[in-house]
């Protein structure tokens, strides 16, 4: 089987061949084809959104996606959370010596397919190869640029008392899908990662509610961490109703078995929207018509106090604080 | 989820709360022995739902928290041995011993692996015949039978590179030690549900007979715990001390004879060192001579440095229920889940972790048990 | 101290069983479990079934809790 060799990463012929035969072929667009040291792109005046993220998911192939799809969705979603329309992406790869070439081809194909689905162009990239053992198979960085339409200013600091908190769907799907691949936990599920691009969902929301206050995608650290970040950034309190948070039965089963809490599990295709109360119905209606918003729910509301904190009304009827994730998420027996 | 969600019904919870208000007359201190109960109480906000005269104390029921520094240092010494894979439950990874922790040792390059079941550790042993796989045997009567079963399975399949470092402990002797300590004035016990699935209800009889305290064996859902508290308050108001099983769907009086036989086949009772409670005779489990070829203590020359206690840490008193986390000077400042000093903060089941995560801001609801709008919030303690 | 959750036995072979917990399936050892049939619920702890759940008792507990509420309404 063909494998990635150190020679692929030393700037020589093999590396050049790889760029031509794999990356150029997959990402084919006129900007990248120039193969200059930097891409030359033209943009309208106005506000740009820029974002970057690194992807080290283990394992790189998981139910519902792979590290390639994840790398594109992650940055596309971050740009979308500022209301920006994603335009251009860059891709940086760090590959371990001996990594199977067919796997790289599959990952590259996923990146290309997802980029096409979103309508963004991958205009610059780099590949480095490191000695065996000094990286875990493959790491990917992606950076992205997007145009923020005139008059849109979505930010985590805009939440106001009285706003409603909307969650676009079920939580914990990605976290449990990844854990199900860890053979020592040995549980089987048909559950897949929710890894998905949210740019379309966001543009539908902004069409009906351009002055919506906040958008945030709860990835690592889970929904609880994201809500706390927003409460701190906006200096507001929040009250969330546990019974209204959608959780798939497989995720609840896995969490009960492993002693984990879905509110802290990773998601890769969900968003939290904080909207003025009067706009709630319009936004919900727009979300429910989009494939990535079918399970959208109003899960709580913003309040003046306690500032910088989130309260949870529990299923059984009490109220307690909902803290950020602290420490490691490890399966426990007690 | 069947047999789970039905026991989280807010209407039934409200019934139980109202019944408590009708019954509760005087201040009582009830101890939930089990760490999983402690988490369930804090996570479901039960403390602020029940009438304020009823106070709930956390007991020594988190196997992570009661593990002594010496027993942690032993596991760390094992992990450092060349050619050894240490398998452990996730709970033990971050607990600080005298000088290090298993997660720090892993970062230093030791082969420390988290497993969900001891059978997974056995699989790792089979897959790595040239290495010794040592399973860190932590846990009470619920867990120790599973380790006994893994040793019998290793013997049956001729797996000789699987060893167990046993620091297993027994609950009733610890409860007796608590009752004999003068500082504690308890009025009743919420007994551990899943330990009792194994040992049944009889081992608690001495508490009602000799110490005249009521005991209720409770399940782990909110309704189970609330019903158990109500049963204890009713028993105290009518002056009868007896052992009752609330968790009837899981616990029989005789427990689980199959598990008890397996446990007795592989382990024998011996003295054990408990954090906070010191040495308690006949309160630990040692691997019998017959199975010594699976006993890590036999093989690995464990030169363990003298144990050292973190200064200012009150975990010992908290484990005995005579202090609560707010009494500890380190709580929430020097000692947080990010930079834990004592095991009660590290362990996700520890009392301090539960108080920090769910109760460091106590919701001030003047008329306890009234559900509805969100009351004002004040730093608790 | 010990997390154990109810799961439905969907298949038994020898001293192993496939147990379904809210849509996920985990293999469990029956080495510590009293006799159990497919379709019954067991308490799963660290990969072992440690007891067969008594479903009548479960319904009985819920009925009792409802009764407490009814008494509350009367008095």
């Amino acid at each position: 089987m063909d494998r990635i060799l150190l020679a692929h990463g030393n700037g020589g012929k093999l590396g050049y061949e790889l760029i031509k035969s794999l990356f150029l072929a997959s990402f084919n667009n006129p900007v990248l084809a120039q193969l200059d040291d930097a891409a030359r792109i033209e943009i309208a005046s106005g506000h740009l959104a820029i974002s970057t993220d690194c992807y080290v998911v283990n394992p790189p192939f998981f139910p519902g996606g792979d590290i390639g799809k994840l790398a594109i969705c992650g940055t596309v979603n971050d740009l979308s959370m500022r209301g920006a329309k994603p335009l251009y992406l860059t891709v940086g790869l760090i590959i371990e010596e001996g990594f199977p070439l067919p796997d790289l081809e599959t990952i590259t194909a996923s990146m290309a397919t997802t980029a096409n689905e979103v309508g963004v162009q991958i205009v610059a990239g780099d590949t480095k190869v490191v000695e065996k053992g000094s990286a875990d198979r493959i790491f990917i960085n992606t950076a992205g640029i997007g145009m923020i339409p005139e008059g849109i200013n979505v930010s985590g600091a805009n939440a106001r008392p009285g706003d409603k908190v909307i969650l676009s769907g079920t939580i914990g799907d990605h976290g449990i899908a990844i854990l199900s691949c860890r053979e020592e936990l040995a549980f089987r599920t048909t559950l897949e990662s929710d890894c998905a691009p949210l740019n379309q969902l966001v543009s539908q929301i902004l069409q009906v509610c351009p002055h919506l206050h906040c958008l945030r995608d709860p990835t690592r650290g889970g929904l609880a961490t994201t809500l706390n970040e927003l409460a701190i950034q906006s200096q507001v309190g929040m009250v969330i109703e546990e019974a209204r948070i959608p959780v798939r039965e497989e995720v609840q089963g896995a969490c009960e078995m492993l002693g984990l809490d879905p509110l802290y599990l990773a998601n890769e295709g969900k968003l939290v929207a904080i909207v003025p109360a009067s706009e709630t119905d319009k936004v919900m209606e727009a979300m429910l018509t989009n494939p990535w918003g079918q399970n959208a729910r109003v899960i709580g509301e913003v309040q003046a106090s306690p500032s910088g904190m989130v309260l949870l009304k529990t299923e059984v009827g009490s109220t307690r604080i909902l803290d950020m994730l602290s420490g490691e998420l490890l399966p426990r027996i007690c | 989820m069947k047999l789970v969600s039905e026991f989280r019904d807010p209407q039934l919870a409200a019934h139980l709360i109202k019944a408590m208000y009708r019954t509760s007359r005087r201040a009582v201190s009830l101890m939930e022995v089990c760490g999983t109960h402690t988490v369930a109480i804090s996570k479901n906000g039960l403390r602020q739902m029940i009438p304020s005269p009823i106070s709930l104390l956390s007991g020594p029921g988190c196997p992570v928290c009661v593990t002594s520094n010496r027993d942690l240092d032993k596991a760390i010494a094992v992990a450092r041995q060349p050619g050894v894979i240490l398998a452990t439950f996730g709970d033990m990874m971050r607990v600080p011993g005298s000088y290090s922790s298993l997660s720090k040792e892993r970062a230093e390059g030791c082969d420390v692996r988290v497993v969900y079941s001891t059978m997974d550790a056995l699989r790792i042993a089979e897959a790595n015949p040239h290495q010794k796989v040592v399973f860190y045997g932590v846990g009470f009567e619920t867990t120790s039978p599973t380790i006994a079963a893994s040793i019998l399975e290793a013997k049956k399949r001729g797996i000789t590179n699987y060893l167990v470092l046993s620091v297993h402990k027994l609950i009733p002797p610890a409860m007796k030690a608590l009752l004999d300590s003068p500082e504690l004035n308890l009025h009743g016990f919420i007994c551990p549900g899943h330990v009792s699935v194994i040992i049944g209800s009889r081992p608690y009889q001495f508490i009602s007979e000799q110490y005249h305290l009521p005991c209720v064996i409770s399940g782990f859902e909110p309704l189970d715990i609330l019903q158990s508290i109500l049963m204890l308050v009713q028993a105290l108001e009518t002056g009868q001390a007896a052992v009752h099983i609330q968790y009837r769907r899981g616990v029989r009086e005789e427990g689980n004879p199959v598990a008890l036989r397996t446990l007795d086949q592989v382990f024998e009772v011996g003295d054990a060192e408990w954090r906070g409670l010191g040495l308690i005779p006949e309160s630990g489990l040692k691997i019998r001579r017959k199975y010594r070829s699976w006993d890590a203590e036999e093989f690995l020359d464990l030169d363990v440095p003298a144990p050292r206690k973190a200064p200012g840490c009150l975990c010992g008193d908290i484990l005995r229920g005579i202090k609560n986390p707010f009494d500890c000077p380190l709580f929430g400042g020097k000692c947080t889940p990010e930079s834990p000093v004592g095991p009660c903060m590290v362990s996700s089941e520890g009392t301090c972790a539960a108080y920090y995560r769910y109760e460091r801001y106590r919701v001030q609801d003047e008329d306890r048990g009234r559900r509805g709008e969100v009351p004002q919030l004040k730093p608790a303690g | 101290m010990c997390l154990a959750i109810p799961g439905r036995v969907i298949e038994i072979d020898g001293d192993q069983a496939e147990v379904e917990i809210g849509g996920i399936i985990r293999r469990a050892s029956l080495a510590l479990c009293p006799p159990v049939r497919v379709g019954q619920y067991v308490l799963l702890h660290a990969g072992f079934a440690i007891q067969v759940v008594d479903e009548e008792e479960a319904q009985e507990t819920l009925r009792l809790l409802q009764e407490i509420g009814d008494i509350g309404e009367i008095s």
Side-chain angles (χ1 to χ4, degrees):
Chain A
M1 181 217 305
D2 290 343
R3 290 180 181 281
I4 294 295
L5 309 173
L6 279 173
H8 279 110
N10 60 17
K13 208 165 177 332
L14 256 183
Y16 186 72
E17 274 314 312
L18 187 67
I19 292 170
K20 292 272 286 189
S21 62
L22 181 57
F23 299 129
L24 259 191
S26 312
F27 303 149
N28 69 355
N29 64 64
V31 180
L32 187 64
Q34 294 161 8
L35 283 185
D36 286 319
D37 279 350
R40 183 169 180 275
I41 52 173
E42 197 181 348
I43 48 162
S45 65
H47 289 91
L48 273 183
I50 300 177
S51 174
T52 186
D53 229 318
C54 298
Y55 302 89
V56 292
V57 63
N58 169 23
F61 296 93
F62 47 84
D66 63 32
I67 192 170
K69 178 180 176 187
L70 193 64
I72 302 299
C73 289
T75 297
V76 161
N77 290 348
D78 283 345
L79 293 172
S80 307
M81 291 311 130
R82 292 306 304 266
K85 179 178 183 314
L87 296 176
Y88 301 104
L89 293 184
T90 72
V91 171
L93 301 162
I94 297 173
I95 310 174
E96 183 185 20
E97 180 188 13
F99 186 72
L101 189 56
D103 286 356
L104 181 61
E105 284 157 355
T106 311
I107 290 169
T108 307
S110 311
M111 286 196 277
T113 313
T114 313
N116 292 339
E117 186 190 321
V118 167
V120 286
Q121 290 184 318
I122 297 171
V123 293
D126 178 48
T127 301
K128 290 290 182 300
V129 180
V130 294
E131 292 81 9
K132 194 153 191 55
S134 56
D136 180 9
R137 290 165 286 184
I138 183 165
F139 298 150
I140 300 181
N141 167 278
T142 54
I145 288 178
M147 276 310 292
I148 301 177
E150 211 33 55
I152 299 283
N153 177 18
V154 182
S155 144
N158 292 350
R160 293 294 170 270
D163 288 353
K164 294 293 184 191
V165 181
I166 301 175
L167 175 62
S168 63
T170 58
I171 54 170
D173 302 0
H174 180 75
I176 295 302
I178 295 295
L179 280 176
S180 72
C181 303
R182 296 269 164 76
E183 63 336 308
E184 75 272 13
L185 298 183
F187 65 88
R188 295 200 318 280
T189 172
T190 52
L191 185 73
E192 294 196 340
S193 163
D194 61 353
C195 178
L198 297 176
N199 56 310
Q200 232 248 338
L201 175 62
V202 166
S203 63
Q204 268 180 273
I205 294 173
L206 288 177
Q207 258 153 29
V208 299
C209 178
H211 305 304
L212 125 146
H213 290 160
C214 315
L215 280 172
R216 185 67 54 97
D217 62 337
T219 49
R220 289 171 317 236
L223 176 64
T225 302
T226 292
L227 293 175
N228 275 280
E229 282 167 358
L230 289 170
I232 291 164
Q233 214 176 331
S234 293
Q235 284 306 305
V236 288
M238 280 189 212
V239 181
I240 303 295
E241 291 184 42
E242 186 176 27
R244 298 182 62 81
I245 299 172
V247 180
R248 286 184 203 283
E249 230 205 343
E250 296 92 332
V251 171
Q252 195 193 351
C255 284
E256 297 282 348
M257 185 179 89
L258 299 169
L260 299 171
D261 184 340
L263 289 165
Y264 294 104
L265 288 176
N267 311 282
E268 288 298 343
K270 297 291 163 2
L271 65 78
V272 170
I274 297 188
V275 301
S278 56
E279 315 267 331
T280 307
D281 296 342
K282 276 189 296 185
V283 171
M284 278 296 288
E285 209 181 296
M287 290 177 79
L288 291 167
T289 58
N290 183 289
W292 310 116
Q294 279 167 352
N295 294 316
R297 290 262 190 76
V298 177
I299 61 169
E301 65 176 26
V302 178
Q303 296 197 340
S305 69
S307 172
M309 294 191 69
V310 180
L311 293 182
L312 185 74
K313 291 180 85 167
T314 65
E315 248 181 286
V316 77
S318 62
T319 303
R320 54 114 168 142
I321 63 168
L322 177 62
D323 206 355
M324 276 189 172
L325 173 64
S326 59
E328 244 178 281
L329 266 179
L330 287 168
R332 58 188 182 89
I333 60 141
C334 64
Chain B
M1 258 179 73
K2 190 162 187 278
L3 291 170
V4 170
S5 318
E6 310 95 308
F7 293 90
R8 297 179 180 175
D9 180 322
Q11 265 68 40
L12 297 181
H15 293 337
L16 286 164
I17 299 293
K18 289 196 183 78
M20 278 184 215
Y21 270 91
R22 288 199 304 274
T23 321
S24 160
R25 290 285 168 280
R26 52 196 172 83
V28 291
S29 299
L30 307 176
M31 175 176 273
E32 89 272 353
V33 179
C34 164
T36 311
H37 277 140
T38 303
V39 174
I41 289 164
S42 295
K43 195 173 173 195
N44 289 290
L46 303 185
R47 205 180 308 279
Q48 37 145 294
M49 292 177 83
I50 60 177
S52 43
I54 303 173
S55 59
L56 302 176
L57 303 175
S58 300
C62 156
V64 172
C65 304
V66 295
T67 303
S68 67
N69 265 353
R70 219 181 97 64
D71 284 341
L72 279 160
D73 299 341
K74 245 197 267 185
I76 288 163
V78 165
R80 284 185 183 148
Q81 303 253 329
V84 164
I85 298 173
L86 186 90
T88 174
F89 291 128
D91 318 58
M92 295 310 291
M93 278 306 283
R94 290 176 60 234
V95 190
S98 305
Y99 307 95
S100 178
S101 72
L102 289 175
S103 59
K104 283 201 185 100
E105 292 304 309
R106 183 172 63 181
E108 297 282 335
C110 296
D111 193 337
V112 179
R113 302 188 194 182
V114 171
V115 292
Y116 164 69
S117 162
T118 178
M119 296 311 245
D120 302 329
L122 210 53
R123 261 192 293 279
I124 294 172
E126 260 183 322
N128 298 277
H130 308 303
Q131 287 179 293
K132 284 212 176 331
V133 174
V134 179
F135 182 75
Y136 191 30
V138 172
F140 294 109
E141 292 89 334
T142 318
T143 314
S144 40
T146 74
I147 279 89
S150 75
I151 290 177
L152 295 177
E153 185 69 11
K155 182 168 197 268
K156 195 172 90 185
R157 287 166 34 197
I159 301 170
T160 53
N161 65 325
Y162 172 75
L163 301 165
V164 169
L165 179 61
S166 168
V167 287
H168 291 295
K169 294 185 175 52
L170 304 172
I171 278 297
M175 291 171 82
K176 183 172 190 326
L178 282 175
L179 289 164
D180 292 341
S181 72
E183 312 106 322
L184 204 54
N185 68 352
L186 281 181
H187 300 94
F189 278 108
I190 298 172
C191 295
H194 290 135
V195 164
S196 310
V197 161
I198 303 293
I199 67 175
S201 56
R202 296 187 190 116
Y204 305 108
Q205 290 299 355
F206 78 95
I207 297 174
S208 55
E209 281 152 14
Q210 293 162 31
Y211 294 84
H212 313 300
L213 294 184
C215 293
V216 172
I217 296 172
S218 173
F220 293 87
E221 296 305 329
L223 297 189
D224 293 316
I225 297 170
L226 291 174
Q227 184 182 18
S228 302
I229 293 170
L230 178 61
M231 288 165 75
L232 283 168
V233 170
Q234 284 164 339
L236 287 165
E237 292 303 333
T238 55
Q240 358 128 301
V243 180
H244 293 286
I245 303 175
Q246 178 277 335
Y247 192 23
R248 308 195 68 78
R249 60 189 186 280
V251 176
R252 319 271 189 287
E253 269 186 22
E254 71 284 6
N256 175 347
V258 180
L260 288 171
R261 263 198 312 278
T262 305
L263 187 63
D264 187 55
Q265 203 178 337
V266 176
F267 286 101
E268 62 191 5
V269 176
D271 300 348
E273 178 74 26
W274 294 61
R275 184 189 300 269
L277 297 162
L279 187 84
I280 302 178
E282 311 278 307
S283 69
L285 290 174
K286 304 280 175 256
I287 296 174
R288 290 185 185 279
R289 275 192 60 72
K290 188 173 173 222
Y291 297 96
R292 64 182 183 287
S293 34
W294 288 278
D295 184 349
E297 304 261 11
E298 295 274 332
F299 279 85
L300 304 160
D301 54 4
L302 304 171
D303 59 348
V304 179
R308 190 177 57 138
K309 200 163 92 65
C313 170
L314 289 188
C315 281
D317 295 342
I318 288 166
L319 282 168
R320 304 209 314 270
I322 54 176
K323 288 269 192 333
N324 82 45
F326 299 122
D327 302 324
C328 178
L330 309 178
F331 178 74
K334 234 160 115 348
C335 184
T336 64
E338 279 69 47
S339 60
V341 174
C344 295
M345 180 61 86
V346 170
S347 159
S348 53
E349 276 237 335
T351 310
C352 302
Y355 270 70
Y356 184 88
R357 276 212 181 90
Y358 304 116
E359 300 191 69
R360 69 179 187 279
Y361 283 92
R362 193 154 300 169
V363 179
Q364 295 310 306
D365 179 344
E366 294 333 309
D367 175 6
R368 285 275 186 98
R370 180 169 51 78
R371 285 182 308 110
E373 71 294 344
V374 177
Q376 273 324 304
L377 197 71
K378 193 166 81 52
Chain C
M1 165 150 33
C2 322
L3 272 176
I5 34 107
R8 197 164 57 84
V9 175
I10 54 175
E11 195 191 309
I12 295 178
D13 69 59
D15 74 346
Q16 299 276 313
E18 295 287 295
V19 179
E20 189 202 15
I21 307 120
I24 67 161
I25 295 164
R26 162 88 211 200
R27 195 155 184 74
S29 162
L30 297 178
L32 301 173
C33 192
V36 62
R37 297 184 312 277
V38 169
Q40 282 188 303
Y41 277 78
V42 288
L43 283 176
L44 184 66
H45 170 67
F48 285 77
I50 57 170
Q51 188 54 280
V52 181
V53 177
D54 186 329
E55 290 186 61
E56 277 105 34
E57 284 292 358
Q59 296 318 321
E60 180 57 19
T61 303
L62 291 168
R63 200 186 51 69
L64 196 60
L65 294 177
Q66 190 54 48
E67 226 175 64
I68 291 174
D70 303 340
I71 296 167
E73 290 345 315
I74 302 161
S75 67

